[in-house]
Amino acid sequence: MNVIETKDLYKIYNSTQVPVHAVNGINLIIKKGEFTAIVGPSGCGKTTLLNLIGGLDSPTEGKVFVSGNDLCSLKSTRLIDFRMHNIGFVFQSFNLIPVLTVKENIEFIMQLQGRSRTECNQRVDELLEAIGLPDKKNHRPNQLSGGQQQRVSVARALASKPQFILADEPTANLDSKATNELLELMEKLNQEEEMTFIFSTHDERVMKKARRLVSLDDGKIIKDLSL
Amino acid sequence: MIWRISWRNIWRNKVRSLTVMMAIAIGLTGGIFLTGLMNGMSAQQANDAISLEISHVQIHHRLFADNLSAQFLIEDVAGKLEVIRKDERVRAFCSRTKAQAIASTATTGAGIIISGIVPEMEKEVTTIYSKIVEGSYFEKENKSASIVIGQKLAHKLKAGLGNKIVVTLQSLNGEMSYALFRVGGIYKTSNTRFDEMNVFVKSDDLNPVLGIDPSQTNEIAMLTASHEAAIPVAASLKSSFDKLSVENWRELRPLLVVISAMTDQFGFWLIVIILLALIFGIINTMLMVILERKHELGMLMAIGMNKKRVFKMILLETTMLSLSGGLVGLFFSILLMGIFGQTGINFAAWAEGLEAIGYSSFVYPFVSARFYLIITILVIITAIIASLWPTRKALKLNPAEAVRSE
Ligand SMILES: Nc1ncnc2c1ncn2[C@@H]1O[C@H](COP(=O)(O)OP(=O)(O)OP(=O)(O)O)[C@@H](O)[C@H]1O
Ligand SMILES: [Mg+2]
């Protein structure tokens, strides 16, 4: 089954003087285990598309299916629950809750999901090992570097066992070393845990790591390359 | 986890949170202390009225209260006192003859109420003897009968210690009678109106003038083990003496009950008004909090915090913030009450004005445990009300907008 499928997806912003077609008729299918980068110049609609796929925003027209579920048909409370159980998010910034420790941040959603204490502890240790930060368990986010924070964000997204992880410019604030480390981590998780990743970027080095490149311009797919 | 987030969030901006807490603490302490003072004053007034004037229970002829006339008598006093003596809940008792009269000196006269007492028994029941400022309370035996009057009346009659006072009253057979007394003592209570009206003589000196014989009296007063004990004692005496009027202090002075109920109300509404003012400060703070954490809240809603949880988080933060301030306020209040409840506060500067309306100038503030509980509940209600608007604001955040970093 397709993890994600969009059908004639449009997002038009009318709040401005001239309506902006941020997403302008996109049909996109993402299969399980893909490692896809959405690329394109600034303002081409990457964030808008990811927000539509992630159910954070509703399309002007068209549909988004996640594992066959039509996101538009879900009421807002159901949609939030759906996001919690099925979609992992990594944002460019403001990913972590500053008053919680690394461990607490990672297990936060698991607790909302009602997982048991032992399961949470076990998964946190596992994930901290995977992101290479077992010694930072009880640190607060502001005691970590930007790259470390993003790795914790990936762990947090992964902890809830989602269908896929959406990452909107996860490396935008990182230097090249941290960018590499984060991508290696995502690749590893993609291969070892078969986690589906969709991320946006306009960084050449990040694009090179992707196994599928979807290029956008003016809200349309202009190129779709499998590498 | 949400509890933990809320609690830690309070301490993200320590200065701001502490400012709000102090505002709440100071507001509550002020309100509670004022209420304590009011309580102290009304309790003092009740205590004074009971210990000086009305005692816990009084017995009269049914018609006595309406006319205050010596002709309405209690017969067989000794028999009645025997019944009262047998009641273990009664601490002390006495009997008095009582009449309206006119007191005159060479210069002027004044309407008074004269009580004929048995000093030894009276001392057990009322504390007038301890309020003597000049002379004594029927201690020196003089040739002429002595009278104890209030300071206010002494001024009014321009009568000093040892001066003559002529008391004019109507005897039982309807004739006007005169009696000569010498001022043996002058007392001063915290109620000047009482001092102006009430004079005391020995019943042995007064009864013959009135034509009352020793087996008769006008008033029997008693003290019971406590203020509360007066109510059942009065009830059981009522059934023993069904032809007489038996009243407890609440019935004798309904105003005391009204004042204490009013004080309670006053305290409650004072706190409500203070909290109402504080609500706006709390709302303002929480709105700032929401604005500052726009991105974070958007992220939380994106990753799966539903409306109920967002509400819970903000509500908890507001409640814990307010309650912390409230507890500090309660702590200070209890401390202040502990100190001043022991030492009392002297309002000497206003003594004259206070005493004119029957209040003592020395006040021992107190509030009940129930009042503290009510305040705690009110603070929680305040926090809930104060968190509604900020929560609404938070829930209106669009996660898609909020997570976009500018
Ligand atoms: N709330 C909005 N109201 C009006 N126009 C908007 C709104 N949000 C985004 N847009 C417009 O939609 C278009 C697509 O924006 P989007 O943020 O998706 O681009 P992007 O590819 O993510 O850009 P960047 O690389 O700078 O992040 C832009 O032209 C933007 O100005
Ligand atoms: Mg973007």
Side-chain angles (χ1 to χ4, degrees):
Chain A
M1 189 188 285
N2 302 324
V3 178
I4 300 164
E5 181 174 359
T6 73
K7 276 195 179 147
D8 298 324
L9 201 59
Y10 288 87
K11 181 71 186 183
I12 302 159
Y13 290 111
N14 285 314
S15 55
T16 42
Q17 275 183 331
V18 188
V20 180
H21 294 250
V23 167
N24 200 5
I26 285 187
N27 289 292
L28 181 66
I29 290 178
I30 306 266
K31 293 206 150 50
K32 185 160 175 57
E34 281 190 16
F35 198 66
T36 305
I38 312 281
V39 299
S42 183
C44 70
K46 302 183 293 290
T47 300
T48 308
L49 177 62
L50 290 183
N51 282 347
L52 291 174
I53 293 174
L56 297 179
D57 216 346
S58 49
T60 313
E61 232 177 89
K63 284 193 185 318
V64 177
F65 296 92
V66 171
S67 306
N69 298 287
D70 181 0
L71 291 190
C72 308
S73 71
L74 296 175
K75 283 207 201 71
S76 72
T77 34
R78 289 281 310 282
L79 184 60
I80 293 176
D81 273 359
F82 187 84
R83 287 204 298 264
M84 175 172 78
H85 288 288
N86 298 285
I87 309 174
F89 290 93
V90 177
F91 303 108
Q92 187 179 325
S93 46
F94 306 110
N95 266 302
L96 301 174
I97 304 165
V99 294
L100 296 184
T101 63
V102 167
K103 172 183 186 286
E104 289 164 342
N105 263 291
I106 296 175
E107 65 185 3
F108 180 66
I109 300 200
M110 285 197 276
Q111 292 208 351
L112 293 189
Q113 288 175 331
R115 307 282 178 92
S116 74
R117 187 121 283 282
T118 43
E119 193 186 345
C120 287
N121 286 336
Q122 198 184 336
R123 185 108 176 103
V124 167
D125 288 340
E126 216 174 272
L127 287 166
L128 279 171
E129 202 63 52
I131 63 173
L133 296 171
D135 54 326
K136 304 288 187 201
K137 191 171 172 175
N138 295 316
H139 285 52
R140 292 278 178 97
N142 62 8
Q143 297 168 312
L144 304 179
S145 71
Q148 289 170 332
Q149 286 183 27
Q150 286 306 69
R151 272 142 72 192
V152 174
S153 308
V154 170
R156 196 269 318 273
L158 210 60
S160 58
K161 304 209 162 130
Q163 306 271 346
F164 60 91
I165 290 178
L166 284 179
D168 189 14
E169 311 216 23
T171 61
N173 296 336
L174 304 183
D175 61 21
S176 56
K177 182 167 165 285
T179 300
N180 261 332
E181 281 173 355
L182 186 69
L183 275 161
E184 275 164 22
L185 170 67
M186 286 163 58
E187 267 184 313
K188 188 179 84 175
L189 294 169
N190 173 250
Q191 276 153 23
E192 289 175 5
E193 305 211 7
E194 269 195 283
M195 180 50 65
T196 311
F197 278 90
I198 306 125
F199 50 95
S200 71
T201 186
H202 39 223
D203 184 338
E204 291 286 339
R205 290 163 304 172
V206 176
M207 293 179 205
K208 280 194 200 119
K209 299 272 188 182
R211 276 183 282 110
R212 180 180 172 190
L213 265 181
V214 177
S215 307
L216 297 188
D217 201 6
D218 275 340
K220 288 197 169 89
I221 297 178
I222 52 165
K223 227 177 352 172
D224 188 345
L225 283 176
S226 289
L227 308 168
Chain B
M1 190 71 98
I2 289 177
W3 283 79
R4 206 179 305 172
I5 297 177
S6 299
W7 175 249
R8 289 185 194 164
N9 272 338
I10 294 176
W11 302 106
R12 275 166 83 166
N13 192 329
K14 288 198 186 68
V15 174
R16 187 173 59 199
S17 294
L18 285 174
T19 309
V20 176
M21 285 180 194
M22 283 321 287
I24 297 173
I26 292 170
L28 283 184
T29 308
I32 294 171
F33 195 70
L34 260 170
T35 307
L37 278 181
M38 295 286 294
N39 283 342
M41 282 168 80
S42 73
Q44 196 91 333
Q45 200 191 20
N47 288 338
D48 283 355
I50 287 167
S51 68
L52 289 172
E53 302 177 54
I54 58 178
S55 310
H56 282 135
V57 181
Q58 286 189 7
I59 304 174
H60 300 106
H61 185 283
R62 289 218 166 160
L63 296 174
F64 180 80
D66 295 337
N67 306 288
L68 213 70
S69 167
Q71 75 186 82
F72 299 109
L73 289 161
I74 302 171
E75 306 287 346
D76 182 24
V77 178
K80 303 277 179 332
L81 293 184
E82 203 46 47
V83 173
I84 292 165
R85 196 196 309 279
K86 282 195 185 119
D87 193 323
E88 280 171 2
R89 295 166 296 181
V90 175
R91 195 145 51 87
F93 56 86
C94 65
S95 65
R96 307 169 185 130
T97 42
K98 214 166 183 179
Q100 289 179 318
I102 293 167
S104 0
T105 52
T107 43
T108 179
I112 52 155
I113 295 166
I114 188 164
S115 297
I117 61 167
V118 181
E120 299 73 45
M121 288 175 87
E122 189 70 32
K123 272 179 162 179
E124 302 280 310
V125 179
T126 60
T127 53
I128 304 288
Y129 71 92
S130 68
K131 308 288 180 188
I132 297 292
V133 290
E134 270 181 81
S136 72
Y137 193 69
F138 305 107
E139 272 161 22
K140 271 188 265 164
E141 288 295 333
N142 291 326
K143 271 177 267 144
S144 53
S146 71
I147 184 167
V148 170
I149 64 172
Q151 197 175 48
K152 179 84 183 180
L153 184 66
H155 287 305
K156 202 165 152 190
L157 295 177
K158 298 192 182 68
L161 217 55
N163 290 163
K164 283 184 216 161
I165 287 182
V166 174
V167 174
T168 312
L169 40 68
Q170 197 175 24
S171 69
L172 290 195
N173 60 24
E175 285 169 12
M176 295 308 279
S177 299
Y178 306 91
L180 179 72
F181 294 97
R182 271 184 200 279
V183 178
I186 296 174
Y187 70 86
K188 179 181 184 299
T189 70
S190 58
N191 184 349
T192 43
R193 265 188 319 191
F194 178 85
D195 299 0
E196 192 177 356
M197 281 305 289
N198 292 277
V199 307
F200 301 88
V201 299
K202 286 189 188 171
S203 56
D204 293 345
D205 296 331
L206 182 63
N207 290 2
V209 185
L210 283 167
I212 291 177
D213 78 53
S215 73
Q216 301 173 314
T217 196
N218 292 117
E219 182 170 282
I220 296 174
M222 71 202 79
L223 286 180
T224 54
S226 67
H227 291 357
E228 287 69 41
I231 285 89
V233 170
S236 60
L237 288 177
K238 231 171 248 182
S239 53
S240 307
F241 309 134
D242 57 347
K243 295 212 166 51
L244 295 171
S245 143
V246 179
E247 290 165 296
N248 64 42
W249 60 274
R250 288 165 183 267
E251 293 160 336
L252 289 162
R253 265 307 148 77
L255 191 63
L256 291 178
V257 182
V258 173
I259 286 175
S260 128
M262 263 172 53
T263 311
D264 265 10
Q265 287 280 309
F266 173 86
F268 177 81
W269 289 110
L270 182 66
I271 298 288
V272 168
I273 289 167
I274 289 170
L275 286 176
L276 216 56
L278 287 171
I279 275 188
F280 293 97
I282 302 172
I283 289 178
N284 182 48
T285 305
M286 290 314 289
L287 284 175
M288 265 156 71
V289 162
I290 303 300
L291 201 70
E292 272 176 18
R293 301 193 200 139
K294 202 176 84 183
H295 295 295
E296 199 179 314
L297 284 164
M299 179 272 291
L300 285 171
M301 291 196 266
I303 67 172
M305 281 269 278
N306 59 26
K307 289 181 184 201
K308 240 162 64 189
R309 287 180 173 128
V310 172
F311 179 62
K312 184 176 164 190
M313 188 171 84
I314 297 168
L315 178 67
L316 279 176
E317 183 169 343
T318 318
T319 309
M320 288 194 275
L321 177 71
S322 311
L323 211 54
S324 303
L327 290 179
V328 174
L330 287 188
F331 172 79
F332 279 130
S333 305
I334 292 171
L335 196 74
L336 281 178
M337 293 298 165
I339 295 169
F340 290 111
Q342 292 297 313
T343 63
I345 299 173
N346 194 354
F347 289 95
W350 300 287
E352 211 168 305
L354 284 169
E355 287 169 6
I357 54 171
Y359 285 104
S360 166
S361 64
F362 232 83
V363 178
Y364 296 86
F366 73 93
V367 296
S368 62
R370 199 178 118 254
F371 191 65
Y372 287 124
L373 185 71
I374 289 174
I375 286 175
T376 311
I377 293 167
L378 283 178
V379 170
I380 293 173
I381 294 173
T382 304
I384 292 171
I385 296 172
S387 60
L388 291 179
W389 191 8
T391 310
R392 235 173 70 99
K393 198 111 186 168
L395 290 177
K396 272 196 190 150
L397 285 175
N398 174 356
E401 292 296 323
V403 295
R404 273 178 198 264
S405 26
E406 42 255 18

mmCIF file of all heavy atoms in Angstrom, chain B residues 222-253:
data_model
loop_
_atom_site.group_PDB
_atom_site.id
_atom_site.type_symbol
_atom_site.label_atom_id
_atom_site.label_comp_id
_atom_site.label_asym_id
_atom_site.label_seq_id
_atom_site.Cartn_x
_atom_site.Cartn_y
_atom_site.Cartn_z
ATOM 1 N N MET B 222 -26.804 34.392 84.081
ATOM 2 C CA MET B 222 -25.807 33.338 84.359
ATOM 3 C C MET B 222 -24.814 33.201 83.221
ATOM 4 O O MET B 222 -25.085 33.584 82.087
ATOM 5 C CB MET B 222 -26.503 32.003 84.606
ATOM 6 C CG MET B 222 -27.106 31.382 83.380
ATOM 7 S SD MET B 222 -28.413 30.212 83.791
ATOM 8 C CE MET B 222 -29.779 31.297 84.120
ATOM 9 N N LEU B 223 -23.655 32.669 83.558
ATOM 10 C CA LEU B 223 -22.638 32.323 82.566
ATOM 11 C C LEU B 223 -22.607 30.811 82.446
ATOM 12 O O LEU B 223 -22.708 30.108 83.449
ATOM 13 C CB LEU B 223 -21.257 32.802 83.014
ATOM 14 C CG LEU B 223 -20.974 34.298 82.932
ATOM 15 C CD1 LEU B 223 -19.552 34.573 83.417
ATOM 16 C CD2 LEU B 223 -21.158 34.811 81.505
ATOM 17 N N THR B 224 -22.463 30.322 81.213
ATOM 18 C CA THR B 224 -22.357 28.878 81.014
ATOM 19 C C THR B 224 -20.923 28.553 80.634
ATOM 20 O O THR B 224 -20.080 29.451 80.525
ATOM 21 C CB THR B 224 -23.310 28.414 79.907
ATOM 22 O OG1 THR B 224 -23.060 29.191 78.745
ATOM 23 C CG2 THR B 224 -24.752 28.613 80.328
ATOM 24 N N ALA B 225 -20.664 27.280 80.416
ATOM 25 C CA ALA B 225 -19.293 26.837 80.158
ATOM 26 C C ALA B 225 -18.692 27.529 78.938
ATOM 27 O O ALA B 225 -17.503 27.822 78.889
ATOM 28 C CB ALA B 225 -19.265 25.322 79.982
ATOM 29 N N SER B 226 -19.507 27.789 77.919
ATOM 30 C CA SER B 226 -19.004 28.461 76.719
ATOM 31 C C SER B 226 -20.158 29.220 76.075
ATOM 32 O O SER B 226 -21.306 29.050 76.459
ATOM 33 C CB SER B 226 -18.466 27.437 75.725
ATOM 34 O OG SER B 226 -19.534 26.664 75.232
ATOM 35 N N HIS B 227 -19.821 30.055 75.079
ATOM 36 C CA HIS B 227 -20.868 30.784 74.354
ATOM 37 C C HIS B 227 -21.896 29.805 73.777
ATOM 38 O O HIS B 227 -23.095 30.058 73.791
ATOM 39 C CB HIS B 227 -20.268 31.593 73.187
ATOM 40 C CG HIS B 227 -19.425 32.757 73.638
ATOM 41 N ND1 HIS B 227 -19.257 33.092 74.948
ATOM 42 C CD2 HIS B 227 -18.717 33.680 72.922
ATOM 43 C CE1 HIS B 227 -18.464 34.156 75.036
ATOM 44 N NE2 HIS B 227 -18.123 34.536 73.820
ATOM 45 N N GLU B 228 -21.380 28.701 73.229
ATOM 46 C CA GLU B 228 -22.271 27.748 72.559
ATOM 47 C C GLU B 228 -23.169 27.026 73.568
ATOM 48 O O GLU B 228 -24.330 26.739 73.291
ATOM 49 C CB GLU B 228 -21.472 26.707 71.761
ATOM 50 C CG GLU B 228 -20.833 27.235 70.485
ATOM 51 C CD GLU B 228 -19.699 28.205 70.773
ATOM 52 O OE1 GLU B 228 -18.913 27.945 71.708
ATOM 53 O OE2 GLU B 228 -19.621 29.244 70.092
ATOM 54 N N ALA B 229 -22.598 26.741 74.754
ATOM 55 C CA ALA B 229 -23.345 25.979 75.755
ATOM 56 C C ALA B 229 -24.598 26.725 76.217
ATOM 57 O O ALA B 229 -25.542 26.128 76.738
ATOM 58 C CB ALA B 229 -22.450 25.664 76.949
ATOM 59 N N ALA B 230 -24.597 28.061 76.021
ATOM 60 C CA ALA B 230 -25.732 28.867 76.470
ATOM 61 C C ALA B 230 -27.034 28.441 75.798
ATOM 62 O O ALA B 230 -28.107 28.517 76.401
ATOM 63 C CB ALA B 230 -25.457 30.341 76.174
ATOM 64 N N ILE B 231 -26.932 27.973 74.561
ATOM 65 C CA ILE B 231 -28.158 27.688 73.807
ATOM 66 C C ILE B 231 -28.920 26.500 74.408
ATOM 67 O O ILE B 231 -30.109 26.623 74.713
ATOM 68 C CB ILE B 231 -27.853 27.536 72.295
ATOM 69 C CG1 ILE B 231 -27.588 28.921 71.679
ATOM 70 C CG2 ILE B 231 -29.026 26.951 71.523
ATOM 71 C CD1 ILE B 231 -26.205 29.413 71.688
ATOM 72 N N PRO B 232 -28.243 25.339 74.625
ATOM 73 C CA PRO B 232 -28.981 24.238 75.265
ATOM 74 C C PRO B 232 -29.388 24.527 76.715
ATOM 75 O O PRO B 232 -30.458 24.088 77.150
ATOM 76 C CB PRO B 232 -28.008 23.049 75.193
ATOM 77 C CG PRO B 232 -26.674 23.637 74.910
ATOM 78 C CD PRO B 232 -26.919 24.900 74.157
ATOM 79 N N VAL B 233 -28.544 25.264 77.444
ATOM 80 C CA VAL B 233 -28.894 25.580 78.826
ATOM 81 C C VAL B 233 -30.187 26.403 78.846
ATOM 82 O O VAL B 233 -31.124 26.106 79.607
ATOM 83 C CB VAL B 233 -27.749 26.343 79.523
ATOM 84 C CG1 VAL B 233 -28.219 26.889 80.866
ATOM 85 C CG2 VAL B 233 -26.534 25.440 79.711
ATOM 86 N N ALA B 234 -30.231 27.416 77.993
ATOM 87 C CA ALA B 234 -31.432 28.252 77.934
ATOM 88 C C ALA B 234 -32.646 27.407 77.574
ATOM 89 O O ALA B 234 -33.728 27.565 78.151
ATOM 90 C CB ALA B 234 -31.235 29.371 76.909
ATOM 91 N N ALA B 235 -32.453 26.470 76.669
ATOM 92 C CA ALA B 235 -33.573 25.636 76.236
ATOM 93 C C ALA B 235 -34.101 24.792 77.388
ATOM 94 O O ALA B 235 -35.322 24.676 77.580
ATOM 95 C CB ALA B 235 -33.140 24.748 75.064
ATOM 96 N N SER B 236 -33.177 24.216 78.171
ATOM 97 C CA SER B 236 -33.685 23.353 79.243
ATOM 98 C C SER B 236 -34.300 24.187 80.373
ATOM 99 O O SER B 236 -35.277 23.758 80.994
ATOM 100 C CB SER B 236 -32.606 22.383 79.735
ATOM 101 O OG SER B 236 -31.503 23.094 80.227
ATOM 102 N N LEU B 237 -33.747 25.402 80.629
ATOM 103 C CA LEU B 237 -34.348 26.264 81.657
ATOM 104 C C LEU B 237 -35.726 26.750 81.216
ATOM 105 O O LEU B 237 -36.614 26.962 82.029
ATOM 106 C CB LEU B 237 -33.438 27.451 81.960
ATOM 107 C CG LEU B 237 -32.159 27.116 82.736
ATOM 108 C CD1 LEU B 237 -31.302 28.355 82.912
ATOM 109 C CD2 LEU B 237 -32.491 26.490 84.092
ATOM 110 N N LYS B 238 -35.867 26.899 79.902
ATOM 111 C CA LYS B 238 -37.149 27.339 79.364
ATOM 112 C C LYS B 238 -38.249 26.347 79.757
ATOM 113 O O LYS B 238 -39.360 26.745 80.109
ATOM 114 C CB LYS B 238 -37.054 27.408 77.829
ATOM 115 C CG LYS B 238 -37.532 28.743 77.252
ATOM 116 C CD LYS B 238 -37.220 28.839 75.769
ATOM 117 C CE LYS B 238 -36.162 29.884 75.527
ATOM 118 N NZ LYS B 238 -35.817 30.080 74.139
ATOM 119 N N SER B 239 -37.895 25.052 79.715
ATOM 120 C CA SER B 239 -38.928 24.075 80.067
ATOM 121 C C SER B 239 -39.127 23.998 81.586
ATOM 122 O O SER B 239 -40.225 23.695 82.060
ATOM 123 C CB SER B 239 -38.610 22.703 79.466
ATOM 124 O OG SER B 239 -37.317 22.325 79.828
ATOM 125 N N SER B 240 -38.044 24.300 82.347
ATOM 126 C CA SER B 240 -38.211 24.302 83.806
ATOM 127 C C SER B 240 -39.092 25.470 84.257
ATOM 128 O O SER B 240 -39.922 25.333 85.144
ATOM 129 C CB SER B 240 -36.856 24.419 84.504
ATOM 130 O OG SER B 240 -35.989 23.428 84.036
ATOM 131 N N PHE B 241 -38.843 26.640 83.670
ATOM 132 C CA PHE B 241 -39.578 27.845 84.090
ATOM 133 C C PHE B 241 -40.499 28.298 82.967
ATOM 134 O O PHE B 241 -40.248 29.301 82.302
ATOM 135 C CB PHE B 241 -38.603 28.985 84.425
ATOM 136 C CG PHE B 241 -37.506 28.592 85.381
ATOM 137 C CD1 PHE B 241 -36.193 28.940 85.138
ATOM 138 C CD2 PHE B 241 -37.797 27.882 86.546
ATOM 139 C CE1 PHE B 241 -35.188 28.589 86.011
ATOM 140 C CE2 PHE B 241 -36.797 27.526 87.432
ATOM 141 C CZ PHE B 241 -35.484 27.873 87.166
ATOM 142 N N ASP B 242 -41.549 27.547 82.738
ATOM 143 C CA ASP B 242 -42.330 27.809 81.533
ATOM 144 C C ASP B 242 -43.168 29.084 81.616
ATOM 145 O O ASP B 242 -43.694 29.549 80.629
ATOM 146 C CB ASP B 242 -43.187 26.591 81.161
ATOM 147 C CG ASP B 242 -44.101 26.204 82.294
ATOM 148 O OD1 ASP B 242 -43.884 26.703 83.414
ATOM 149 O OD2 ASP B 242 -45.029 25.400 82.066
ATOM 150 N N LYS B 243 -43.262 29.680 82.817
ATOM 151 C CA LYS B 243 -44.048 30.924 82.910
ATOM 152 C C LYS B 243 -43.166 32.163 82.739
ATOM 153 O O LYS B 243 -43.649 33.280 82.641
ATOM 154 C CB LYS B 243 -44.762 30.985 84.265
ATOM 155 C CG LYS B 243 -45.796 29.872 84.389
ATOM 156 C CD LYS B 243 -46.960 30.314 85.233
ATOM 157 C CE LYS B 243 -48.127 29.355 85.092
ATOM 158 N NZ LYS B 243 -47.702 27.920 85.314
ATOM 159 N N LEU B 244 -41.849 31.930 82.751
ATOM 160 C CA LEU B 244 -40.922 33.060 82.656
ATOM 161 C C LEU B 244 -40.318 33.127 81.253
ATOM 162 O O LEU B 244 -40.455 32.209 80.446
ATOM 163 C CB LEU B 244 -39.798 32.898 83.684
ATOM 164 C CG LEU B 244 -40.245 32.951 85.144
ATOM 165 C CD1 LEU B 244 -39.094 32.553 86.054
ATOM 166 C CD2 LEU B 244 -40.778 34.321 85.487
ATOM 167 N N SER B 245 -39.641 34.255 81.027
ATOM 168 C CA SER B 245 -38.958 34.389 79.749
ATOM 169 C C SER B 245 -37.478 34.046 79.960
ATOM 170 O O SER B 245 -36.805 34.676 80.767
ATOM 171 C CB SER B 245 -39.137 35.825 79.248
ATOM 172 O OG SER B 245 -37.981 36.263 78.612
ATOM 173 N N VAL B 246 -37.001 32.999 79.261
ATOM 174 C CA VAL B 246 -35.596 32.601 79.354
ATOM 175 C C VAL B 246 -34.970 32.846 77.987
ATOM 176 O O VAL B 246 -35.446 32.324 76.981
ATOM 177 C CB VAL B 246 -35.461 31.108 79.729
ATOM 178 C CG1 VAL B 246 -33.992 30.709 79.806
ATOM 179 C CG2 VAL B 246 -36.183 30.807 81.031
ATOM 180 N N GLU B 247 -33.922 33.652 77.964
ATOM 181 C CA GLU B 247 -33.322 33.986 76.669
ATOM 182 C C GLU B 247 -31.822 33.752 76.700
ATOM 183 O O GLU B 247 -31.156 34.051 77.698
ATOM 184 C CB GLU B 247 -33.574 35.460 76.329
ATOM 185 C CG GLU B 247 -35.029 35.781 76.011
ATOM 186 C CD GLU B 247 -35.266 37.275 76.058
ATOM 187 O OE1 GLU B 247 -35.111 37.861 77.147
ATOM 188 O OE2 GLU B 247 -35.573 37.843 75.004
ATOM 189 N N ASN B 248 -31.277 33.191 75.595
ATOM 190 C CA ASN B 248 -29.819 33.086 75.491
ATOM 191 C C ASN B 248 -29.281 34.380 74.902
ATOM 192 O O ASN B 248 -30.027 35.247 74.462
ATOM 193 C CB ASN B 248 -29.419 31.851 74.670
ATOM 194 C CG ASN B 248 -29.883 31.927 73.235
ATOM 195 O OD1 ASN B 248 -29.788 32.972 72.597
ATOM 196 N ND2 ASN B 248 -30.400 30.815 72.717
ATOM 197 N N TRP B 249 -27.947 34.511 74.887
ATOM 198 C CA TRP B 249 -27.354 35.797 74.485
ATOM 199 C C TRP B 249 -27.673 36.162 73.044
ATOM 200 O O TRP B 249 -27.752 37.334 72.698
ATOM 201 C CB TRP B 249 -25.849 35.807 74.740
ATOM 202 C CG TRP B 249 -25.069 34.744 73.996
ATOM 203 C CD1 TRP B 249 -24.842 33.471 74.394
ATOM 204 C CD2 TRP B 249 -24.419 34.893 72.735
ATOM 205 N NE1 TRP B 249 -24.101 32.783 73.460
ATOM 206 C CE2 TRP B 249 -23.813 33.645 72.436
ATOM 207 C CE3 TRP B 249 -24.281 35.938 71.830
ATOM 208 C CZ2 TRP B 249 -23.093 33.423 71.259
ATOM 209 C CZ3 TRP B 249 -23.553 35.719 70.662
ATOM 210 C CH2 TRP B 249 -22.975 34.476 70.389
ATOM 211 N N ARG B 250 -27.876 35.170 72.202
ATOM 212 C CA ARG B 250 -28.218 35.476 70.814
ATOM 213 C C ARG B 250 -29.594 36.128 70.724
ATOM 214 O O ARG B 250 -29.831 37.012 69.917
ATOM 215 C CB ARG B 250 -28.241 34.210 69.969
ATOM 216 C CG ARG B 250 -26.881 33.629 69.691
ATOM 217 C CD ARG B 250 -27.037 32.204 69.180
ATOM 218 N NE ARG B 250 -25.751 31.589 68.964
ATOM 219 C CZ ARG B 250 -25.121 31.606 67.796
ATOM 220 N NH1 ARG B 250 -25.674 32.181 66.743
ATOM 221 N NH2 ARG B 250 -23.946 31.047 67.662
ATOM 222 N N GLU B 251 -30.481 35.648 71.587
ATOM 223 C CA GLU B 251 -31.829 36.230 71.597
ATOM 224 C C GLU B 251 -31.829 37.591 72.277
ATOM 225 O O GLU B 251 -32.568 38.491 71.902
ATOM 226 C CB GLU B 251 -32.795 35.289 72.310
ATOM 227 C CG GLU B 251 -33.008 33.984 71.549
ATOM 228 C CD GLU B 251 -33.561 32.850 72.413
ATOM 229 O OE1 GLU B 251 -33.378 32.876 73.647
ATOM 230 O OE2 GLU B 251 -34.161 31.936 71.823
ATOM 231 N N LEU B 252 -30.959 37.725 73.278
ATOM 232 C CA LEU B 252 -30.887 38.991 73.996
ATOM 233 C C LEU B 252 -30.294 40.102 73.130
ATOM 234 O O LEU B 252 -30.683 41.248 73.221
ATOM 235 C CB LEU B 252 -30.023 38.826 75.256
ATOM 236 C CG LEU B 252 -30.663 38.000 76.370
ATOM 237 C CD1 LEU B 252 -29.597 37.537 77.360
ATOM 238 C CD2 LEU B 252 -31.731 38.815 77.079
ATOM 239 N N ARG B 253 -29.338 39.738 72.293
ATOM 240 C CA ARG B 253 -28.663 40.711 71.434
ATOM 241 C C ARG B 253 -28.581 40.169 70.007
ATOM 242 O O ARG B 253 -27.520 39.755 69.565
ATOM 243 C CB ARG B 253 -27.215 40.927 71.898
ATOM 244 C CG ARG B 253 -26.892 42.059 72.804
ATOM 245 C CD ARG B 253 -27.343 43.411 72.374
ATOM 246 N NE ARG B 253 -27.651 44.175 73.560
ATOM 247 C CZ ARG B 253 -26.712 44.728 74.341
ATOM 248 N NH1 ARG B 253 -25.462 44.675 74.023
ATOM 249 N NH2 ARG B 253 -27.074 45.352 75.429
#
